[in-house]
Amino acid sequence: MSAITVTPCNGPGAEIGNVELAAELSDDDFAVLQQAFADHGLLFFRDQDISPEKHIEFAERWGEINVNRFFTPVEGYPQIALVSKEPEDTTNIGGGWHTDHSYDEIPALGSILVARELPESGGDTMFADMAAAYEALPDDTKEKLDGLEAVHSAKHIFGHQSAYKEDGDLNDRFGNEDAADTLDDVTHPVVITHPLSGKKTLYVNGAFTVGIKGWTPKESAELLMPLYQHAIQDEFVTRFQWKPGSIAFWDNRATWHYALNDYQGQKRTMHRITVEGCVIH
Ligand code: OGA
Ligand code: MN
């Protein structure tokens, strides 16, 4: 038996209580977390005291760690990506609706993000539920999406042509532009059957999806833009306010996220570990 509590949020996600992630988790405890992750695609933990070593250990329980090719690692911990904004930076990482790693043939399962240094206020993260967003679509839209494939790319985000780079801010936060430029674009179904929940889930996003396979840019935009607007309605969204000791663990195949950039002049530092995923279809 496990004493862990799972309290669903108003929007997507569930808050997990009565657990210390840095401690030894029994198989029963872990099974509760696995079920909650499959059900909600998004878990929040509070008041955790977790070292980088324990962060790595917890992540490895879920699968192999995906070492991000583009992010600067935390010093001494190549498995951990540094997601930070300095007081002098004006842009932030993840400051628009997106899901990570959709540009990979086998997209990462998700990430475990630990708050390390927070601004006095602001810096919340919003999450949107792509199964709920799909479910709420009108039937004729669902029919239209059936069988469509979307093309995903990382070049315009992490490559030499990145719009981020023009800003200058993020130059030292990302690297490996050559690798991004030579990555092959990949295709994924617009709607996937989620590998853990079995739910039909919208799997396109405004950051990495560059179009519908075989369609013109105009045709693609006409389909995708209204979908993106639909998906971020309040009823599909949870806004998470970080506190010292907070951790969020999201499923890239079930959710989008958006890091708010409303704390100019202050520092925010997060540690992210990404866990490998599986083939999706
Ligand atoms: C990320 C990201 C959100 C945040 O790490 O992939 O988008 O709130 N971060 O920092
Ligand atoms: Mn992200």
Side-chain angles (χ1 to χ4, degrees):
M1 270 296 285
S2 168
I4 291 180
T5 59
V6 179
T7 310
C9 302
N10 275 335
E15 187 138 344
I16 307 299
N18 235 353
V19 67
E20 218 180 305
L21 297 184
E24 215 47 55
L25 288 179
S26 69
D27 287 344
D28 282 352
D29 285 342
F30 191 65
V32 171
L33 297 184
Q34 278 183 307
Q35 189 61 52
F37 190 69
D39 291 344
H40 300 280
L42 175 62
L43 306 182
F44 299 119
F45 304 88
R46 297 288 192 187
D47 303 316
Q48 299 295 316
D49 182 7
I50 195 169
S51 63
E53 287 80 5
K54 291 290 178 186
H55 186 187
I56 292 168
E57 229 173 87
F58 178 63
E60 282 176 337
R61 195 119 186 215
W62 295 86
E64 207 179 308
I65 291 176
N66 172 301
V67 178
N68 192 288
R69 292 155 286 186
F70 309 121
F71 282 68
T72 301
V74 170
E75 214 184 317
Y77 300 97
Q79 306 96 320
I80 308 180
L82 185 64
V83 176
S84 72
K85 180 173 184 255
E86 296 297 322
E88 62 275 16
D89 294 334
T90 55
T91 57
N92 67 336
I93 291 175
W97 282 111
H98 68 284
T99 191
D100 305 327
H101 285 266
S102 72
Y103 51 82
D104 283 332
E105 186 83 49
I106 298 183
L109 168 147
S111 285
I112 303 166
L113 191 69
V114 175
R116 292 296 180 197
E117 199 174 340
L118 295 170
E120 272 179 26
S121 65
D124 296 354
T125 307
M126 297 198 290
F127 295 89
D129 180 340
M130 291 304 114
Y134 174 78
E135 183 55 36
L137 286 170
D139 284 343
D140 60 334
T141 308
K142 287 181 182 166
E143 272 164 36
K144 204 156 128 196
L145 300 183
D146 193 30
L148 290 182
E149 298 264 331
V151 181
H152 298 251
S153 179
K155 295 188 182 72
H156 59 291
I157 303 284
F158 297 119
H160 286 285
Q161 298 308 311
S162 171
Y164 272 136
K165 300 275 161 188
E166 286 164 23
D167 195 285
D169 275 356
L170 295 184
N171 284 340
D172 53 354
R173 291 189 240 165
F174 295 138
N176 230 352
E177 292 87 350
D178 291 340
D181 280 340
T182 55
L183 269 186
D184 285 334
D185 292 350
V186 302
T187 62
H188 299 297
V190 171
V191 179
I192 59 167
T193 300
H194 190 277
L196 299 178
S197 71
K199 292 179 197 161
K200 283 197 160 190
T201 305
L202 203 53
Y203 194 67
V204 282
N205 71 92
F208 298 112
T209 304
V210 292
I212 303 297
K213 192 178 171 188
W215 290 24
T216 66
K218 182 166 179 288
E219 288 165 346
S220 294
E222 280 169 6
L223 178 84
L224 292 171
M225 293 306 155
L227 275 185
Y228 295 160
Q229 283 307 313
H230 164 86
I232 58 170
Q233 295 174 82
D234 286 350
E235 61 200 284
F236 310 133
V237 173
T238 292
R239 179 169 174 155
F240 186 62
Q241 192 180 2
W242 296 90
K243 294 181 187 142
S246 296
I247 296 177
F249 180 16
W250 66 82
D251 186 320
N252 283 325
R253 298 89 39 104
T255 56
W256 286 354
H257 56 278
Y258 178 167
L260 293 173
N261 184 15
D262 56 356
Y263 53 95
Q264 297 300 355
Q266 296 187 69
K267 189 175 163 84
R268 180 178 183 270
T269 302
M270 318 292 274
H271 284 185
R272 178 179 121 181
I273 300 184
T274 300
V275 178
E276 292 286 10
C278 58
V279 173
I280 52 168
H281 36 81

